[in-house]
Amino acid sequence: MSNTAVCPGSFDPPTEGHINIVERGLKIFDKIIVVVAVNSTKKNTFTAQERVAMLREIFKNRSEIEIDSFQDSLLVDYARKKKVGTILRGLRTIADYDFEFQMALANKKLAPEVETVFMMTESQNSHISSSLIKEILTLGGQAGDMVPAIVEKKFREKLKGK
Ligand code: ADP
């Protein structure tokens, strides 16, 4: 297995918190596959295609970063299909920890050969979440440096379209 990790998430939308985890992950991994996990029972603001397109724009011209998506299947099955042995996830709060701990143990049970690695958020990103960004922008605030300009633009277009 190559020194590659998959970095899965909803990315609805991608934030500077996500980007920071991917960038720092590249100090450890040669390649990171950022993968949009699509759960068709979950209501998302952006379609899978829109989320993939934003991530491709954010990480354009980066050969060490691949953007992909998978739908209604297990992350460990996706990792096996891509022959990747590591899952990279970010951690912000104790609430993240509870959820991530459960997911990591479940994934280990499902696929013992796949390891989960956690990277602690950096302090300037610890408050950033996709849902907070959407709330701020919906209520007329500025997302500032919490999301790339392309994300703010796409979200404002969505708001106008409503
Ligand atoms: P999910 O629905 O799978 O939790 P998210 O898109 O919300 O997807 O998050 C994907 C990953 O990115 C998770 O591991 C999450 O903890 C991490 N993450 C999200 N925001 C931040 C942040 N501000 N700092 C560090 N990690 C983050």
Side-chain angles (χ1 to χ4, degrees):
M1 281 180 179
S2 64
N3 184 26
T4 299
V6 285
C7 185
S10 307
F11 303 105
D12 188 42
T15 69
E16 291 296 339
H18 296 125
I19 295 168
N20 179 262
I21 295 295
V22 175
E23 295 288 2
R24 286 164 55 222
L26 285 168
K27 292 182 187 167
I28 302 168
F29 301 101
D30 297 328
K31 181 177 170 184
I32 294 183
I33 306 174
V34 181
V35 61
V36 176
V38 186
N39 178 345
S40 54
T41 63
K42 224 166 140 181
K43 213 182 153 319
N44 289 114
T45 304
F46 291 94
T47 66
Q49 290 77 7
E50 287 169 333
R51 285 176 272 161
V52 164
M54 282 187 279
L55 287 164
R56 291 217 165 110
E57 176 65 25
I58 291 164
F59 293 119
K60 69 176 172 218
N61 304 324
R62 299 288 298 272
S63 58
E64 72 277 42
I65 301 171
E66 181 182 327
I67 313 297
D68 198 6
S69 66
F70 69 91
Q71 181 157 0
D72 296 330
S73 58
L74 292 171
L75 172 62
V76 289
D77 288 340
Y78 174 83
R80 277 176 170 158
K81 193 183 89 187
K82 298 292 272 188
K83 297 191 171 25
V84 173
T86 312
I87 296 166
L88 172 66
R89 296 278 291 178
L91 273 183
R92 284 161 296 185
T93 59
I94 201 77
D96 272 356
Y97 177 86
D98 281 345
F99 175 74
E100 296 293 340
F101 184 65
Q102 191 183 25
M103 284 301 298
L105 292 188
N107 283 332
K108 190 75 187 164
K109 199 92 187 150
L110 292 165
E113 79 281 17
V114 178
E115 299 293 346
T116 303
V117 167
F118 294 102
M119 191 162 256
M120 200 57 75
T121 188
E122 287 193 308
S123 55
Q124 77 274 13
N125 296 323
S126 61
H127 61 293
I128 304 176
S129 69
S130 300
S131 51
L132 178 76
I133 300 293
K134 287 188 279 194
E135 196 165 339
I136 291 172
L137 292 176
T138 305
L139 296 174
Q142 301 288 324
D145 55 7
M146 293 190 276
V147 287
I150 173 83
V151 170
E152 184 160 348
K153 180 170 171 276
K154 293 286 172 199
F155 191 77
R156 291 201 186 284
E157 282 171 15
K158 241 183 214 294
L159 281 179
K160 265 195 220 141
K162 270 194 183 152

PDB file of all heavy atoms in Angstrom, residues 88-115:
ATOM      1  N   LEU A  88      -7.802   9.616   7.258  1.00  0.00           N
ATOM      2  CA  LEU A  88      -7.381  10.820   7.984  1.00  0.00           C
ATOM      3  C   LEU A  88      -8.615  11.627   8.357  1.00  0.00           C
ATOM      4  O   LEU A  88      -9.422  11.958   7.497  1.00  0.00           O
ATOM      5  CB  LEU A  88      -6.445  11.662   7.089  1.00  0.00           C
ATOM      6  CG  LEU A  88      -6.058  13.042   7.613  1.00  0.00           C
ATOM      7  CD1 LEU A  88      -5.197  12.929   8.877  1.00  0.00           C
ATOM      8  CD2 LEU A  88      -5.312  13.833   6.533  1.00  0.00           C
ATOM      9  N   ARG A  89      -8.739  11.943   9.648  1.00  0.00           N
ATOM     10  CA  ARG A  89      -9.870  12.756  10.106  1.00  0.00           C
ATOM     11  C   ARG A  89      -9.351  13.880  11.000  1.00  0.00           C
ATOM     12  O   ARG A  89      -8.300  13.753  11.634  1.00  0.00           O
ATOM     13  CB  ARG A  89     -10.850  11.895  10.932  1.00  0.00           C
ATOM     14  CG  ARG A  89     -11.517  10.794  10.147  1.00  0.00           C
ATOM     15  CD  ARG A  89     -12.701  11.256   9.352  1.00  0.00           C
ATOM     16  NE  ARG A  89     -13.829  11.646  10.184  1.00  0.00           N
ATOM     17  CZ  ARG A  89     -14.979  12.122   9.683  1.00  0.00           C
ATOM     18  NH1 ARG A  89     -15.116  12.277   8.368  1.00  0.00           N
ATOM     19  NH2 ARG A  89     -15.968  12.448  10.477  1.00  0.00           N
ATOM     20  N   GLY A  90     -10.099  14.955  11.066  1.00  0.00           N
ATOM     21  CA  GLY A  90      -9.739  16.073  11.935  1.00  0.00           C
ATOM     22  C   GLY A  90     -10.515  15.993  13.236  1.00  0.00           C
ATOM     23  O   GLY A  90     -11.603  15.419  13.284  1.00  0.00           O
ATOM     24  N   LEU A  91      -9.931  16.573  14.283  1.00  0.00           N
ATOM     25  CA  LEU A  91     -10.612  16.609  15.588  1.00  0.00           C
ATOM     26  C   LEU A  91     -10.652  18.040  16.091  1.00  0.00           C
ATOM     27  O   LEU A  91      -9.625  18.719  16.108  1.00  0.00           O
ATOM     28  CB  LEU A  91      -9.836  15.789  16.612  1.00  0.00           C
ATOM     29  CG  LEU A  91     -10.086  14.308  16.751  1.00  0.00           C
ATOM     30  CD1 LEU A  91      -9.233  13.771  17.882  1.00  0.00           C
ATOM     31  CD2 LEU A  91     -11.552  13.982  16.993  1.00  0.00           C
ATOM     32  N   ARG A  92     -11.837  18.479  16.509  1.00  0.00           N
ATOM     33  CA  ARG A  92     -11.957  19.824  17.067  1.00  0.00           C
ATOM     34  C   ARG A  92     -12.248  19.781  18.560  1.00  0.00           C
ATOM     35  O   ARG A  92     -11.512  20.297  19.362  1.00  0.00           O
ATOM     36  CB  ARG A  92     -13.093  20.602  16.380  1.00  0.00           C
ATOM     37  CG  ARG A  92     -12.782  21.113  15.022  1.00  0.00           C
ATOM     38  CD  ARG A  92     -14.034  21.438  14.253  1.00  0.00           C
ATOM     39  NE  ARG A  92     -14.815  20.238  14.031  1.00  0.00           N
ATOM     40  CZ  ARG A  92     -15.910  20.169  13.314  1.00  0.00           C
ATOM     41  NH1 ARG A  92     -16.394  21.253  12.772  1.00  0.00           N
ATOM     42  NH2 ARG A  92     -16.538  19.033  13.134  1.00  0.00           N
ATOM     43  N   THR A  93     -13.364  19.174  18.890  1.00  0.00           N
ATOM     44  CA  THR A  93     -13.865  19.267  20.271  1.00  0.00           C
ATOM     45  C   THR A  93     -14.069  17.878  20.852  1.00  0.00           C
ATOM     46  O   THR A  93     -13.945  16.868  20.181  1.00  0.00           O
ATOM     47  CB  THR A  93     -15.246  19.946  20.264  1.00  0.00           C
ATOM     48  OG1 THR A  93     -16.093  19.140  19.441  1.00  0.00           O
ATOM     49  CG2 THR A  93     -15.178  21.348  19.710  1.00  0.00           C
ATOM     50  N   ILE A  94     -14.463  17.864  22.094  1.00  0.00           N
ATOM     51  CA  ILE A  94     -14.747  16.605  22.766  1.00  0.00           C
ATOM     52  C   ILE A  94     -15.966  15.934  22.105  1.00  0.00           C
ATOM     53  O   ILE A  94     -16.061  14.717  22.054  1.00  0.00           O
ATOM     54  CB  ILE A  94     -14.933  16.845  24.289  1.00  0.00           C
ATOM     55  CG1 ILE A  94     -14.721  15.562  25.069  1.00  0.00           C
ATOM     56  CG2 ILE A  94     -16.224  17.525  24.634  1.00  0.00           C
ATOM     57  CD1 ILE A  94     -13.263  15.208  25.218  1.00  0.00           C
ATOM     58  N   ALA A  95     -16.848  16.761  21.551  1.00  0.00           N
ATOM     59  CA  ALA A  95     -18.020  16.206  20.846  1.00  0.00           C
ATOM     60  C   ALA A  95     -17.563  15.456  19.597  1.00  0.00           C
ATOM     61  O   ALA A  95     -18.060  14.372  19.284  1.00  0.00           O
ATOM     62  CB  ALA A  95     -18.988  17.324  20.476  1.00  0.00           C
ATOM     63  N   ASP A  96     -16.586  16.012  18.886  1.00  0.00           N
ATOM     64  CA  ASP A  96     -15.998  15.310  17.740  1.00  0.00           C
ATOM     65  C   ASP A  96     -15.407  13.988  18.213  1.00  0.00           C
ATOM     66  O   ASP A  96     -15.551  12.955  17.576  1.00  0.00           O
ATOM     67  CB  ASP A  96     -14.817  16.119  17.142  1.00  0.00           C
ATOM     68  CG  ASP A  96     -15.253  17.119  16.088  1.00  0.00           C
ATOM     69  OD1 ASP A  96     -16.448  17.151  15.759  1.00  0.00           O
ATOM     70  OD2 ASP A  96     -14.384  17.873  15.604  1.00  0.00           O
ATOM     71  N   TYR A  97     -14.728  14.046  19.346  1.00  0.00           N
ATOM     72  CA  TYR A  97     -14.024  12.865  19.844  1.00  0.00           C
ATOM     73  C   TYR A  97     -14.978  11.685  20.032  1.00  0.00           C
ATOM     74  O   TYR A  97     -14.693  10.575  19.588  1.00  0.00           O
ATOM     75  CB  TYR A  97     -13.306  13.194  21.161  1.00  0.00           C
ATOM     76  CG  TYR A  97     -12.617  11.990  21.752  1.00  0.00           C
ATOM     77  CD1 TYR A  97     -11.328  11.637  21.352  1.00  0.00           C
ATOM     78  CD2 TYR A  97     -13.266  11.177  22.676  1.00  0.00           C
ATOM     79  CE1 TYR A  97     -10.708  10.506  21.868  1.00  0.00           C
ATOM     80  CE2 TYR A  97     -12.662  10.043  23.189  1.00  0.00           C
ATOM     81  CZ  TYR A  97     -11.376   9.717  22.783  1.00  0.00           C
ATOM     82  OH  TYR A  97     -10.784   8.587  23.278  1.00  0.00           O
ATOM     83  N   ASP A  98     -16.094  11.929  20.686  1.00  0.00           N
ATOM     84  CA  ASP A  98     -17.063  10.842  20.946  1.00  0.00           C
ATOM     85  C   ASP A  98     -17.498  10.177  19.647  1.00  0.00           C
ATOM     86  O   ASP A  98     -17.493   8.965  19.514  1.00  0.00           O
ATOM     87  CB  ASP A  98     -18.315  11.406  21.650  1.00  0.00           C
ATOM     88  CG  ASP A  98     -18.072  11.618  23.130  1.00  0.00           C
ATOM     89  OD1 ASP A  98     -17.070  11.081  23.641  1.00  0.00           O
ATOM     90  OD2 ASP A  98     -18.877  12.331  23.749  1.00  0.00           O
ATOM     91  N   PHE A  99     -17.857  11.000  18.681  1.00  0.00           N
ATOM     92  CA  PHE A  99     -18.329  10.500  17.393  1.00  0.00           C
ATOM     93  C   PHE A  99     -17.200   9.780  16.652  1.00  0.00           C
ATOM     94  O   PHE A  99     -17.368   8.667  16.138  1.00  0.00           O
ATOM     95  CB  PHE A  99     -18.869  11.681  16.571  1.00  0.00           C
ATOM     96  CG  PHE A  99     -19.273  11.311  15.180  1.00  0.00           C
ATOM     97  CD1 PHE A  99     -20.432  10.598  14.940  1.00  0.00           C
ATOM     98  CD2 PHE A  99     -18.475  11.675  14.087  1.00  0.00           C
ATOM     99  CE1 PHE A  99     -20.799  10.243  13.647  1.00  0.00           C
ATOM    100  CE2 PHE A  99     -18.838  11.324  12.798  1.00  0.00           C
ATOM    101  CZ  PHE A  99     -20.000  10.605  12.580  1.00  0.00           C
ATOM    102  N   GLU A 100     -16.041  10.418  16.612  1.00  0.00           N
ATOM    103  CA  GLU A 100     -14.914   9.864  15.858  1.00  0.00           C
ATOM    104  C   GLU A 100     -14.412   8.554  16.470  1.00  0.00           C
ATOM    105  O   GLU A 100     -14.015   7.639  15.756  1.00  0.00           O
ATOM    106  CB  GLU A 100     -13.760  10.881  15.795  1.00  0.00           C
ATOM    107  CG  GLU A 100     -14.086  12.161  15.043  1.00  0.00           C
ATOM    108  CD  GLU A 100     -14.298  11.952  13.542  1.00  0.00           C
ATOM    109  OE1 GLU A 100     -13.854  10.933  13.005  1.00  0.00           O
ATOM    110  OE2 GLU A 100     -14.924  12.826  12.932  1.00  0.00           O
ATOM    111  N   PHE A 101     -14.452   8.483  17.804  1.00  0.00           N
ATOM    112  CA  PHE A 101     -14.013   7.281  18.507  1.00  0.00           C
ATOM    113  C   PHE A 101     -14.887   6.098  18.094  1.00  0.00           C
ATOM    114  O   PHE A 101     -14.396   5.018  17.732  1.00  0.00           O
ATOM    115  CB  PHE A 101     -14.112   7.547  20.022  1.00  0.00           C
ATOM    116  CG  PHE A 101     -13.598   6.431  20.880  1.00  0.00           C
ATOM    117  CD1 PHE A 101     -12.252   6.079  20.856  1.00  0.00           C
ATOM    118  CD2 PHE A 101     -14.455   5.750  21.741  1.00  0.00           C
ATOM    119  CE1 PHE A 101     -11.774   5.055  21.671  1.00  0.00           C
ATOM    120  CE2 PHE A 101     -13.981   4.721  22.547  1.00  0.00           C
ATOM    121  CZ  PHE A 101     -12.642   4.372  22.512  1.00  0.00           C
ATOM    122  N   GLN A 102     -16.198   6.340  18.088  1.00  0.00           N
ATOM    123  CA  GLN A 102     -17.151   5.294  17.710  1.00  0.00           C
ATOM    124  C   GLN A 102     -16.940   4.864  16.250  1.00  0.00           C
ATOM    125  O   GLN A 102     -16.907   3.675  15.941  1.00  0.00           O
ATOM    126  CB  GLN A 102     -18.554   5.857  17.911  1.00  0.00           C
ATOM    127  CG  GLN A 102     -19.637   4.827  17.818  1.00  0.00           C
ATOM    128  CD  GLN A 102     -21.014   5.455  17.955  1.00  0.00           C
ATOM    129  OE1 GLN A 102     -21.211   6.647  17.665  1.00  0.00           O
ATOM    130  NE2 GLN A 102     -21.967   4.673  18.395  1.00  0.00           N
ATOM    131  N   MET A 103     -16.782   5.855  15.364  1.00  0.00           N
ATOM    132  CA  MET A 103     -16.586   5.554  13.941  1.00  0.00           C
ATOM    133  C   MET A 103     -15.289   4.784  13.700  1.00  0.00           C
ATOM    134  O   MET A 103     -15.247   3.822  12.929  1.00  0.00           O
ATOM    135  CB  MET A 103     -16.521   6.853  13.117  1.00  0.00           C
ATOM    136  CG  MET A 103     -17.828   7.537  12.881  1.00  0.00           C
ATOM    137  SD  MET A 103     -19.005   6.509  12.021  1.00  0.00           S
ATOM    138  CE  MET A 103     -18.147   6.239  10.492  1.00  0.00           C
ATOM    139  N   ALA A 104     -14.225   5.220  14.389  1.00  0.00           N
ATOM    140  CA  ALA A 104     -12.921   4.577  14.194  1.00  0.00           C
ATOM    141  C   ALA A 104     -12.976   3.120  14.652  1.00  0.00           C
ATOM    142  O   ALA A 104     -12.445   2.226  13.979  1.00  0.00           O
ATOM    143  CB  ALA A 104     -11.834   5.346  14.949  1.00  0.00           C
ATOM    144  N   LEU A 105     -13.644   2.884  15.779  1.00  0.00           N
ATOM    145  CA  LEU A 105     -13.749   1.503  16.277  1.00  0.00           C
ATOM    146  C   LEU A 105     -14.602   0.652  15.332  1.00  0.00           C
ATOM    147  O   LEU A 105     -14.279  -0.506  15.064  1.00  0.00           O
ATOM    148  CB  LEU A 105     -14.337   1.472  17.696  1.00  0.00           C
ATOM    149  CG  LEU A 105     -13.465   2.053  18.809  1.00  0.00           C
ATOM    150  CD1 LEU A 105     -14.088   1.765  20.171  1.00  0.00           C
ATOM    151  CD2 LEU A 105     -12.046   1.496  18.782  1.00  0.00           C
ATOM    152  N   ALA A 106     -15.683   1.236  14.846  1.00  0.00           N
ATOM    153  CA  ALA A 106     -16.554   0.498  13.918  1.00  0.00           C
ATOM    154  C   ALA A 106     -15.787   0.169  12.635  1.00  0.00           C
ATOM    155  O   ALA A 106     -15.839  -0.967  12.142  1.00  0.00           O
ATOM    156  CB  ALA A 106     -17.797   1.325  13.599  1.00  0.00           C
ATOM    157  N   ASN A 107     -15.046   1.147  12.122  1.00  0.00           N
ATOM    158  CA  ASN A 107     -14.284   0.910  10.891  1.00  0.00           C
ATOM    159  C   ASN A 107     -13.202  -0.145  11.103  1.00  0.00           C
ATOM    160  O   ASN A 107     -12.926  -0.953  10.215  1.00  0.00           O
ATOM    161  CB  ASN A 107     -13.675   2.217  10.373  1.00  0.00           C
ATOM    162  CG  ASN A 107     -14.722   3.084   9.692  1.00  0.00           C
ATOM    163  OD1 ASN A 107     -15.710   2.574   9.153  1.00  0.00           O
ATOM    164  ND2 ASN A 107     -14.538   4.385   9.736  1.00  0.00           N
ATOM    165  N   LYS A 108     -12.608  -0.142  12.292  1.00  0.00           N
ATOM    166  CA  LYS A 108     -11.559  -1.120  12.610  1.00  0.00           C
ATOM    167  C   LYS A 108     -12.143  -2.535  12.636  1.00  0.00           C
ATOM    168  O   LYS A 108     -11.520  -3.498  12.207  1.00  0.00           O
ATOM    169  CB  LYS A 108     -10.951  -0.756  13.967  1.00  0.00           C
ATOM    170  CG  LYS A 108      -9.729  -1.511  14.330  1.00  0.00           C
ATOM    171  CD  LYS A 108      -8.556  -1.005  13.532  1.00  0.00           C
ATOM    172  CE  LYS A 108      -7.350  -1.887  13.784  1.00  0.00           C
ATOM    173  NZ  LYS A 108      -6.304  -1.692  12.801  1.00  0.00           N
ATOM    174  N   LYS A 109     -13.359  -2.625  13.158  1.00  0.00           N
ATOM    175  CA  LYS A 109     -14.036  -3.917  13.219  1.00  0.00           C
ATOM    176  C   LYS A 109     -14.358  -4.402  11.795  1.00  0.00           C
ATOM    177  O   LYS A 109     -14.200  -5.568  11.469  1.00  0.00           O
ATOM    178  CB  LYS A 109     -15.339  -3.722  14.011  1.00  0.00           C
ATOM    179  CG  LYS A 109     -15.954  -4.953  14.553  1.00  0.00           C
ATOM    180  CD  LYS A 109     -15.459  -5.190  15.963  1.00  0.00           C
ATOM    181  CE  LYS A 109     -15.933  -6.537  16.492  1.00  0.00           C
ATOM    182  NZ  LYS A 109     -14.988  -7.103  17.448  1.00  0.00           N
ATOM    183  N   LEU A 110     -14.811  -3.461  10.974  1.00  0.00           N
ATOM    184  CA  LEU A 110     -15.199  -3.805   9.599  1.00  0.00           C
ATOM    185  C   LEU A 110     -13.982  -4.114   8.725  1.00  0.00           C
ATOM    186  O   LEU A 110     -14.071  -4.965   7.835  1.00  0.00           O
ATOM    187  CB  LEU A 110     -15.983  -2.640   8.968  1.00  0.00           C
ATOM    188  CG  LEU A 110     -17.371  -2.354   9.548  1.00  0.00           C
ATOM    189  CD1 LEU A 110     -17.854  -0.980   9.094  1.00  0.00           C
ATOM    190  CD2 LEU A 110     -18.359  -3.431   9.125  1.00  0.00           C
ATOM    191  N   ALA A 111     -12.894  -3.389   8.963  1.00  0.00           N
ATOM    192  CA  ALA A 111     -11.697  -3.551   8.117  1.00  0.00           C
ATOM    193  C   ALA A 111     -10.456  -3.400   9.001  1.00  0.00           C
ATOM    194  O   ALA A 111      -9.901  -2.301   9.110  1.00  0.00           O
ATOM    195  CB  ALA A 111     -11.699  -2.512   7.004  1.00  0.00           C
ATOM    196  N   PRO A 112     -10.016  -4.497   9.635  1.00  0.00           N
ATOM    197  CA  PRO A 112      -8.889  -4.398  10.587  1.00  0.00           C
ATOM    198  C   PRO A 112      -7.595  -3.885   9.965  1.00  0.00           C
ATOM    199  O   PRO A 112      -6.733  -3.354  10.671  1.00  0.00           O
ATOM    200  CB  PRO A 112      -8.717  -5.839  11.077  1.00  0.00           C
ATOM    201  CG  PRO A 112      -9.983  -6.534  10.749  1.00  0.00           C
ATOM    202  CD  PRO A 112     -10.567  -5.861   9.559  1.00  0.00           C
ATOM    203  N   GLU A 113      -7.455  -3.995   8.663  1.00  0.00           N
ATOM    204  CA  GLU A 113      -6.204  -3.552   8.021  1.00  0.00           C
ATOM    205  C   GLU A 113      -6.182  -2.047   7.757  1.00  0.00           C
ATOM    206  O   GLU A 113      -5.137  -1.498   7.382  1.00  0.00           O
ATOM    207  CB  GLU A 113      -5.978  -4.331   6.708  1.00  0.00           C
ATOM    208  CG  GLU A 113      -6.780  -3.862   5.482  1.00  0.00           C
ATOM    209  CD  GLU A 113      -8.235  -4.325   5.447  1.00  0.00           C
ATOM    210  OE1 GLU A 113      -8.764  -4.743   6.494  1.00  0.00           O
ATOM    211  OE2 GLU A 113      -8.849  -4.220   4.364  1.00  0.00           O
ATOM    212  N   VAL A 114      -7.309  -1.390   7.950  1.00  0.00           N
ATOM    213  CA  VAL A 114      -7.374   0.065   7.704  1.00  0.00           C
ATOM    214  C   VAL A 114      -7.243   0.815   9.038  1.00  0.00           C
ATOM    215  O   VAL A 114      -7.974   0.541   9.982  1.00  0.00           O
ATOM    216  CB  VAL A 114      -8.707   0.445   7.000  1.00  0.00           C
ATOM    217  CG1 VAL A 114      -8.796   1.950   6.798  1.00  0.00           C
ATOM    218  CG2 VAL A 114      -8.836  -0.283   5.662  1.00  0.00           C
ATOM    219  N   GLU A 115      -6.285   1.734   9.106  1.00  0.00           N
ATOM    220  CA  GLU A 115      -6.062   2.515  10.328  1.00  0.00           C
ATOM    221  C   GLU A 115      -6.684   3.907  10.186  1.00  0.00           C
ATOM    222  O   GLU A 115      -6.678   4.473   9.091  1.00  0.00           O
ATOM    223  CB  GLU A 115      -4.560   2.696  10.598  1.00  0.00           C
ATOM    224  CG  GLU A 115      -3.797   1.415  10.817  1.00  0.00           C
ATOM    225  CD  GLU A 115      -4.180   0.683  12.105  1.00  0.00           C
ATOM    226  OE1 GLU A 115      -4.837   1.280  12.973  1.00  0.00           O
ATOM    227  OE2 GLU A 115      -3.831  -0.499  12.218  1.00  0.00           O
TER     228      GLU A 115
END
